[in-house]
Amino acid sequence: MTPKEMAQAAAKALDSKKGVDIKVIEVTEQTTLADYFVICTGSSNTQINALCDAVEKDLEAQGEKALHREGHRGGTWVLLDYGCVVVHVFNNEAREFYALERLWQDGKELEVL
Amino acid sequence: MGLIVLGVVAGLICCSVLVFSAVWNSLVKPPDLPDPNGGNSGKNPGQSSPGNTEPEENDPLDALPDLDIDEELPDYISDQKEGVYTFLILGRSDEDNYTDMIMLVVFDTNTGTVNAASIPRDTMVNLSVDIKRINSASGGGNVSRMKQWVRKTIGIQPNFYVMVDWQAVGDMVDAVGGVDYNVPFRMHYVDPTPEVGFTIDLQEGWQHLNGEQAMQVIRWRKNNVGGTYAPGDSARMKLQQQFIREMAYQFLKPKNITKIGAFATIFKENVDTDLSLGNLVWFAQKALEKDSINKLTFHSLPGDYSKMAYSRSIKTMQSYVTLYPNQLLTLINDNLNPYNRRISLGDLDLMSINADGTISSSTGALADVYHNKVVLNLEPVKAGLAHFDKNWDLVYENPEDDPNNQILDENGNPIEGGEPIDGEDPSGGDEPGGDQPSTGGTTDPSGDPSQTEGLVAPPVDPDPEPDPEPEPEPDQGEYDPDSDPNYNPDPWATEREENAA
């Protein structure tokens, strides 16, 4: 899978579990450390975990395994790191607090399929 | 701000009810200090002071053990000077619940002196998680945890706390009919996320601010309209301090005595504190009696307010504040220290960010076992030669690129058949270094020269900051003083001598 396909597959998986405000940001021109950030909001810790599980499952079915799955702030922010693609699932508060979209505002936002 | 405003209001309440003094006399009394090792210490956040439960009880962070400090409070905390009280004032914004302002106030009721120090919200603290800001350490406003990190940062465990919503400040300003304030410069900021709907739009100069405008002053961080102006956290704290002082003066006006009812209502709704009303009134009386409004000094903590450190989660640099230990200790001991014993570096856990991007703690024990190895190994990842594995160890896409596989001779030429090493592994415990002598998991640079010559990074020093603290953890072994131009083998020598004297 290309990084772009992975990012889109992740976005699709998030959408299938009713993730809110899903964004795919291309940062290839801003950094070499990642190509895409996929950002999504979940309403509760349970949903955040379910969203991440869905991404992990869908991508694993296509042969991609996450390098890291990390929970921050007691599960209000969970990230899946695939190297070139990083999936961040936040609750509302944490998403505003870390404001990744703003941090990577020079990146190009992709249409979510 | 909360304290002063609270104090003022409580004072006004007190004046107005002098007729009921018999009743009040039974309530208004100097507070009993909470047992520092007891419920108020925050060791068991769920059991801390009664006023502490409202915003935190559902805090999911309570389940996260590595944000807690699992240790007894040091003895000196319980030896506090008679009549000196410490307060933690937290300002938070309604919509995101994250602490926006952290201020420690020390009130000497013997002399009436009030010293207040703002702790930058970006102050780096020794957390095991990737993001290490003090306000993120305390989670969605968890006061007990914040008290602990304040102690780790400036050595003072606050006796009481007051948490103020910015909305309360706005309502309060409205209740007194606005506040006169000299806006120091044009403030214009429109939040880029339209849903937040947060806008700051104030002209420069003296003006009468309503509550909404007053909140804009306090919350201002930078301009993003009509050019960017972002002087940073330190300028913002000065602004807040200036505004608090101005407000304190204006709240003390006798004409505000009729607004007590409105104040009380606002406090009830917005301020969360572990001070009882009786204690508040007592503090307010003391403040009025001793003319504290003219003995109020604000301090900024000395430090570098524009440090950056890499975040492995966000994959970019994050801004932090790191404090200057010696200047900080002077400030603390000259102005803030409420204890009978001097506060020394050994009481604190101060972080520093080194020239190579690694971080270290003044205790010698870094809680985050990953940060430094990620930072030191970032270049090959950036160059696309390698990636990090599950344990944040470097994995080269092509083993030939791995410098650890190329043992060089003294002329820098590869030697065939060299043995790969894992000298950069900071966790130490996982693979205690194969054939190396056991040095508590740290690498001994003198142990085997042939192993160290092939490293990209110079050899690690097992104990870069000799410290009286016992048993440094192995993870600090990766900090390399040889590559740090600011490295000072014993920067605390003077401090120790002073303490010994």
Side-chain angles (χ1 to χ4, degrees):
Chain A
M1 281 177 108
T2 66
K4 190 171 178 175
E5 285 166 351
M6 283 170 71
Q8 282 170 336
K12 224 168 137 185
L14 293 168
D15 189 49
S16 76
K17 293 287 172 194
K18 305 221 179 337
V20 176
D21 203 6
I22 302 163
K23 283 187 177 161
V24 180
I25 303 169
E26 183 181 325
V27 293
T28 40
E29 280 170 26
Q30 282 74 39
T31 178
T32 55
L33 291 163
D35 296 331
Y36 294 91
F37 284 101
V38 183
I39 305 169
C40 169
T41 303
S43 55
S44 64
N45 289 15
T46 323
Q47 199 203 355
I48 289 171
N49 272 319
L51 288 163
C52 288
D53 289 347
V55 173
E56 274 198 300
K57 197 171 141 243
D58 283 16
L59 285 180
E60 209 167 324
Q62 302 181 62
E64 301 291 346
K65 260 187 91 108
L67 295 166
H68 310 106
R69 175 171 175 154
E70 275 189 62
H72 289 273
R73 307 181 62 96
T76 63
W77 169 20
V78 178
L79 72 97
L80 291 166
D81 191 343
Y82 288 91
C84 50
V85 176
V86 189
V87 181
H88 293 268
V89 184
F90 296 99
N91 75 356
N92 247 324
E93 282 184 357
R95 180 156 179 173
E96 269 174 33
F97 184 65
Y98 290 101
L100 291 200
E101 293 107 310
R102 262 179 266 176
L103 213 57
W104 290 107
Q105 61 189 344
D106 296 336
K108 198 167 81 191
E109 199 177 322
L110 293 196
E111 283 294 312
V112 180
L113 296 179
Chain B
M1 154 174 357
L3 174 69
I4 295 157
V5 175
L6 275 174
V8 171
V9 172
L12 293 175
I13 292 169
C14 179
C15 297
S16 74
V17 296
L18 277 178
V19 279
F20 305 114
S21 57
V23 179
W24 281 102
N25 283 343
S26 64
L27 289 171
V28 178
K29 54 176 185 180
D32 300 320
L33 285 185
D35 173 8
N37 280 308
N40 203 42
S41 73
K43 286 194 70 60
N44 302 304
Q47 301 170 5
S48 52
S49 50
N52 192 8
T53 52
E54 187 251 310
E56 294 84 47
E57 61 186 359
N58 293 322
D59 180 8
L61 279 176
D62 279 345
L64 205 64
D66 65 0
L67 294 185
D68 284 319
I69 302 170
D70 298 320
E71 59 189 59
E72 289 291 310
L73 283 175
D75 287 343
Y76 75 91
I77 298 289
S78 53
D79 186 16
Q80 195 160 328
K81 290 172 192 159
E82 196 76 33
V84 179
Y85 299 91
T86 57
F87 309 85
L88 181 64
I89 313 294
L90 301 170
R92 69 174 174 195
S93 49
D94 230 3
E95 68 263 31
D96 61 12
N97 208 16
Y98 288 105
T99 311
D100 222 18
M101 182 192 77
I102 307 162
M103 189 180 276
L104 184 87
V105 176
V106 182
F107 182 18
D108 184 341
T109 57
N110 307 308
T111 61
T113 318
V114 179
N115 281 285
S118 303
I119 299 168
R121 56 181 235 161
D122 288 350
T123 301
M124 185 184 258
V125 292
N126 196 3
L127 294 180
S128 61
V129 295
D130 179 41
I131 305 286
K132 298 180 174 52
R133 298 201 182 99
I134 191 168
N135 74 334
S136 110
S138 69
N142 185 314
V143 176
S144 347
R145 204 171 278 123
M146 183 62 90
K147 279 185 176 180
Q148 289 178 314
W149 283 108
V150 165
R151 174 172 63 78
K152 285 293 202 178
T153 304
I154 55 180
I156 297 167
Q157 177 85 12
N159 300 130
F160 303 102
Y161 77 90
V162 178
M163 190 183 287
V164 191
D165 279 306
W166 294 135
Q167 188 60 47
V169 177
D171 290 350
M172 240 173 311
V173 168
D174 279 336
V176 291
V179 59
D180 292 323
Y181 184 67
N182 189 3
V183 177
F185 44 80
R186 171 91 172 103
M187 297 178 169
H188 203 175
Y189 175 84
V190 178
D191 195 287
T193 320
E195 307 89 73
V196 179
F198 176 58
T199 302
I200 294 172
D201 187 0
L202 295 171
Q203 300 296 333
E204 182 182 340
W206 274 106
Q207 53 203 285
H208 193 71
L209 303 178
N210 64 24
E212 170 61 31
Q213 293 167 322
M215 279 165 57
Q216 293 180 16
V217 170
I218 307 167
R219 298 196 56 195
W220 181 87
R221 283 173 77 78
K222 60 185 174 188
N223 281 352
N224 63 359
V225 181
T228 46
Y229 176 56
D233 222 21
S234 129
R236 180 164 182 259
M237 287 184 321
K238 283 218 170 68
L239 198 72
Q240 289 176 343
Q241 294 172 346
Q242 207 183 29
F243 184 81
I244 290 167
R245 186 191 291 273
E246 195 56 48
M247 258 185 44
Y249 274 113
Q250 295 187 32
F251 270 91
L252 275 177
K253 284 178 191 164
K255 68 161 187 170
N256 288 338
I257 204 155
T258 55
K259 314 245 164 126
I260 291 158
F263 285 159
T265 314
I266 295 161
F267 280 130
K268 244 185 152 56
E269 280 172 5
N270 294 294
V271 175
D272 173 31
T273 179
D274 53 0
L275 281 161
S276 72
L277 185 61
N279 293 343
L280 268 170
V281 173
W282 186 82
F283 281 123
Q285 277 181 337
K286 281 286 172 194
L288 291 171
E289 185 187 310
K290 304 273 184 181
D291 190 27
S292 291
I293 190 68
N294 289 313
K295 296 173 184 166
L296 168 63
T297 314
F298 286 106
H299 305 273
S300 297
L301 300 189
D304 189 333
Y305 283 66
S306 54
K307 278 290 195 186
M308 301 292 273
Y310 182 70
S311 156
R312 58 181 181 270
S313 305
I314 303 178
K315 312 227 178 253
T316 186
M317 302 302 271
Q318 292 277 295
S319 56
Y320 287 101
V321 174
T322 56
L323 302 173
Y324 299 141
N326 290 334
Q327 295 175 33
L328 177 67
L329 285 164
T330 307
L331 172 76
I332 293 169
N333 285 312
D334 289 356
N335 301 286
L336 302 171
N337 190 350
Y339 307 113
N340 284 314
R341 143 157 135 33
R342 280 177 68 85
I343 293 169
S344 64
L345 188 74
D347 301 322
L348 310 182
D349 187 348
L350 297 177
M351 300 295 286
S352 47
I353 302 173
N354 308 305
D356 61 357
T358 58
I359 57 175
S360 40
S361 152
S362 62
T363 64
L366 194 59
D368 183 347
V369 295
Y370 297 127
H371 181 273
N372 285 356
K373 75 171 163 182
V374 167
V375 162
L376 292 172
N377 287 326
L378 211 50
E379 283 312 316
V381 178
K382 274 186 182 170
L385 297 173
H387 63 266
F388 291 112
D389 71 4
K390 261 187 144 42
N391 298 313
W392 293 99
D393 286 319
L394 200 57
V395 178
Y396 279 87
E397 315 298 349
N398 180 351
E400 283 167 26
D401 290 329
D402 187 347
N404 289 352
N405 284 336
Q406 301 169 6
I407 302 303
L408 306 181
D409 65 16
E410 58 271 30
N411 299 318
N413 301 315
I415 298 173
E416 289 300 314
E419 204 182 297
I421 56 169
D422 62 326
E424 289 300 318
D425 182 9
S427 56
D430 298 332
E431 299 167 58
D435 56 347
Q436 295 187 16
S438 172
T439 55
T442 52
T443 312
D444 181 0
S446 62
D448 185 353
S450 75
Q451 290 205 343
T452 52
E453 283 177 8
L455 286 171
V456 174
V460 284
D461 184 325
D463 193 6
E465 293 186 7
D467 198 292
E469 295 290 314
E471 192 51 38
E473 285 192 3
D475 52 52
Q476 49 113 34
E478 68 214 301
Y479 166 62
D480 177 20
D482 292 340
S483 65
D484 180 2
N486 301 319
Y487 176 65
N488 175 350
D490 192 2
W492 327 127
T494 331
E495 187 59 33
R496 272 201 305 274
E497 279 163 24
E498 278 174 21
N499 282 327

Short mmCIF file of all heavy atoms in Angstrom, two decimals, chain B residues 67-91:
data_model
loop_
_atom_site.label_atom_id
_atom_site.label_comp_id
_atom_site.label_asym_id
_atom_site.label_seq_id
_atom_site.Cartn_x
_atom_site.Cartn_y
_atom_site.Cartn_z
N LEU B 67 1.33 9.52 35.69
CA LEU B 67 1.31 10.97 35.91
C LEU B 67 1.33 11.29 37.40
O LEU B 67 1.38 12.43 37.79
CB LEU B 67 0.07 11.59 35.27
CG LEU B 67 0.04 11.52 33.74
CD1 LEU B 67 -1.16 12.28 33.21
CD2 LEU B 67 1.31 12.08 33.14
N ASP B 68 1.26 10.28 38.22
CA ASP B 68 1.28 10.52 39.65
C ASP B 68 2.70 10.45 40.18
O ASP B 68 3.57 9.83 39.60
CB ASP B 68 0.43 9.47 40.38
CG ASP B 68 -1.03 9.77 40.22
OD1 ASP B 68 -1.39 10.96 40.32
OD2 ASP B 68 -1.81 8.84 40.00
N ILE B 69 2.88 11.11 41.29
CA ILE B 69 4.19 11.02 41.95
C ILE B 69 4.01 10.09 43.13
O ILE B 69 3.24 10.36 44.04
CB ILE B 69 4.63 12.40 42.44
CG1 ILE B 69 4.71 13.36 41.26
CG2 ILE B 69 5.96 12.31 43.15
CD1 ILE B 69 4.92 14.78 41.68
N ASP B 70 4.68 8.98 43.07
CA ASP B 70 4.51 7.99 44.13
C ASP B 70 5.61 8.14 45.16
O ASP B 70 6.53 7.34 45.21
CB ASP B 70 4.55 6.57 43.55
CG ASP B 70 3.41 6.36 42.57
OD1 ASP B 70 2.31 6.84 42.88
OD2 ASP B 70 3.64 5.74 41.53
N GLU B 71 5.54 9.17 45.92
CA GLU B 71 6.53 9.28 46.97
C GLU B 71 5.99 10.12 48.11
O GLU B 71 5.07 10.92 47.95
CB GLU B 71 7.82 9.88 46.43
CG GLU B 71 7.64 11.25 45.84
CD GLU B 71 8.89 11.72 45.12
OE1 GLU B 71 9.31 11.03 44.19
OE2 GLU B 71 9.43 12.75 45.53
N GLU B 72 6.58 9.93 49.27
CA GLU B 72 6.20 10.70 50.44
C GLU B 72 6.60 12.15 50.23
O GLU B 72 7.59 12.45 49.57
CB GLU B 72 6.92 10.15 51.67
CG GLU B 72 6.42 8.80 52.12
CD GLU B 72 5.04 8.88 52.71
OE1 GLU B 72 4.81 9.74 53.58
OE2 GLU B 72 4.17 8.09 52.28
N LEU B 73 5.85 13.05 50.82
CA LEU B 73 6.27 14.44 50.81
C LEU B 73 7.50 14.58 51.70
O LEU B 73 7.56 13.97 52.76
CB LEU B 73 5.16 15.34 51.33
CG LEU B 73 4.02 15.63 50.37
CD1 LEU B 73 2.94 16.43 51.08
CD2 LEU B 73 4.51 16.38 49.16
N PRO B 74 8.46 15.38 51.28
CA PRO B 74 9.65 15.54 52.12
C PRO B 74 9.29 16.23 53.45
O PRO B 74 8.29 16.94 53.55
CB PRO B 74 10.56 16.43 51.27
CG PRO B 74 9.74 16.95 50.16
CD PRO B 74 8.55 16.07 50.00
N ASP B 75 10.14 15.99 54.45
CA ASP B 75 9.85 16.48 55.80
C ASP B 75 9.73 17.99 55.88
O ASP B 75 8.94 18.52 56.65
CB ASP B 75 10.97 16.02 56.76
CG ASP B 75 10.86 14.54 57.05
OD1 ASP B 75 9.78 13.98 56.78
OD2 ASP B 75 11.85 13.96 57.53
N TYR B 76 10.54 18.69 55.09
CA TYR B 76 10.57 20.15 55.27
C TYR B 76 9.22 20.81 55.01
O TYR B 76 8.91 21.88 55.52
CB TYR B 76 11.65 20.78 54.37
CG TYR B 76 11.30 20.87 52.89
CD1 TYR B 76 10.68 22.02 52.39
CD2 TYR B 76 11.62 19.85 52.00
CE1 TYR B 76 10.36 22.11 51.04
CE2 TYR B 76 11.31 19.94 50.67
CZ TYR B 76 10.68 21.07 50.18
OH TYR B 76 10.37 21.16 48.86
N ILE B 77 8.35 20.12 54.23
CA ILE B 77 7.04 20.66 53.89
C ILE B 77 6.21 20.91 55.14
O ILE B 77 5.41 21.84 55.20
CB ILE B 77 6.30 19.67 52.94
CG1 ILE B 77 7.07 19.49 51.63
CG2 ILE B 77 4.87 20.11 52.67
CD1 ILE B 77 7.06 20.66 50.70
N SER B 78 6.39 20.06 56.16
CA SER B 78 5.55 20.21 57.34
C SER B 78 6.10 21.25 58.32
O SER B 78 5.47 21.56 59.31
CB SER B 78 5.40 18.86 58.04
OG SER B 78 6.67 18.32 58.27
N ASP B 79 7.26 21.79 58.02
CA ASP B 79 7.86 22.78 58.92
C ASP B 79 7.70 24.17 58.33
O ASP B 79 8.64 24.79 57.85
CB ASP B 79 9.34 22.43 59.13
CG ASP B 79 10.00 23.33 60.16
OD1 ASP B 79 9.26 23.99 60.92
OD2 ASP B 79 11.24 23.38 60.19
N GLN B 80 6.44 24.66 58.34
CA GLN B 80 6.13 25.92 57.69
C GLN B 80 6.16 27.06 58.70
O GLN B 80 5.77 26.89 59.86
CB GLN B 80 4.73 25.81 57.06
CG GLN B 80 4.42 26.90 56.06
CD GLN B 80 3.28 26.49 55.13
OE1 GLN B 80 3.13 25.32 54.81
NE2 GLN B 80 2.50 27.46 54.69
N LYS B 81 6.60 28.22 58.24
CA LYS B 81 6.68 29.39 59.13
C LYS B 81 5.29 29.77 59.64
O LYS B 81 4.32 29.74 58.89
CB LYS B 81 7.29 30.59 58.39
CG LYS B 81 8.76 30.44 58.07
CD LYS B 81 9.22 31.60 57.17
CE LYS B 81 10.59 31.34 56.58
NZ LYS B 81 10.84 32.13 55.38
N GLU B 82 5.24 30.18 60.89
CA GLU B 82 3.99 30.61 61.51
C GLU B 82 3.38 31.79 60.74
O GLU B 82 4.07 32.76 60.44
CB GLU B 82 4.29 31.03 62.96
CG GLU B 82 3.10 31.14 63.87
CD GLU B 82 2.58 29.79 64.32
OE1 GLU B 82 3.40 28.86 64.47
OE2 GLU B 82 1.37 29.68 64.48
N GLY B 83 2.11 31.69 60.41
CA GLY B 83 1.43 32.83 59.80
C GLY B 83 1.67 33.01 58.32
O GLY B 83 1.22 33.99 57.73
N VAL B 84 2.42 32.09 57.70
CA VAL B 84 2.66 32.19 56.25
C VAL B 84 1.84 31.11 55.55
O VAL B 84 1.86 29.95 55.97
CB VAL B 84 4.16 32.03 55.93
CG1 VAL B 84 4.39 32.11 54.42
CG2 VAL B 84 4.97 33.09 56.64
N TYR B 85 1.11 31.50 54.52
CA TYR B 85 0.22 30.57 53.84
C TYR B 85 0.48 30.61 52.34
O TYR B 85 0.84 31.66 51.79
CB TYR B 85 -1.25 30.93 54.12
CG TYR B 85 -1.59 30.85 55.58
CD1 TYR B 85 -1.47 31.98 56.39
CD2 TYR B 85 -1.99 29.66 56.16
CE1 TYR B 85 -1.76 31.92 57.75
CE2 TYR B 85 -2.29 29.58 57.51
CZ TYR B 85 -2.17 30.71 58.31
OH TYR B 85 -2.45 30.64 59.64
N THR B 86 0.30 29.47 51.70
CA THR B 86 0.55 29.41 50.25
C THR B 86 -0.71 28.96 49.52
O THR B 86 -1.45 28.11 50.00
CB THR B 86 1.69 28.43 49.94
OG1 THR B 86 1.36 27.15 50.46
CG2 THR B 86 3.00 28.89 50.56
N PHE B 87 -0.92 29.55 48.37
CA PHE B 87 -2.12 29.31 47.59
C PHE B 87 -1.74 29.03 46.14
O PHE B 87 -0.86 29.70 45.59
CB PHE B 87 -3.04 30.54 47.59
CG PHE B 87 -3.33 31.06 48.97
CD1 PHE B 87 -2.44 31.94 49.58
CD2 PHE B 87 -4.47 30.68 49.65
CE1 PHE B 87 -2.69 32.41 50.86
CE2 PHE B 87 -4.73 31.15 50.92
CZ PHE B 87 -3.84 32.02 51.53
N LEU B 88 -2.42 28.09 45.56
CA LEU B 88 -2.25 27.85 44.13
C LEU B 88 -3.47 28.42 43.42
O LEU B 88 -4.60 28.01 43.69
CB LEU B 88 -2.15 26.34 43.87
CG LEU B 88 -1.95 25.92 42.42
CD1 LEU B 88 -0.61 26.42 41.90
CD2 LEU B 88 -2.02 24.40 42.31
N ILE B 89 -3.22 29.39 42.54
CA ILE B 89 -4.32 29.99 41.79
C ILE B 89 -4.27 29.45 40.37
O ILE B 89 -3.26 29.58 39.69
CB ILE B 89 -4.20 31.53 41.73
CG1 ILE B 89 -3.88 32.10 43.11
CG2 ILE B 89 -5.47 32.14 41.16
CD1 ILE B 89 -4.95 31.96 44.12
N LEU B 90 -5.33 28.82 39.97
CA LEU B 90 -5.38 28.25 38.62
C LEU B 90 -6.46 28.96 37.83
O LEU B 90 -7.58 29.14 38.31
CB LEU B 90 -5.70 26.75 38.69
CG LEU B 90 -4.72 25.91 39.49
CD1 LEU B 90 -5.25 24.50 39.71
CD2 LEU B 90 -3.37 25.86 38.78
N GLY B 91 -6.11 29.38 36.64
CA GLY B 91 -7.11 29.97 35.76
C GLY B 91 -7.37 28.99 34.64
O GLY B 91 -6.45 28.39 34.09
#
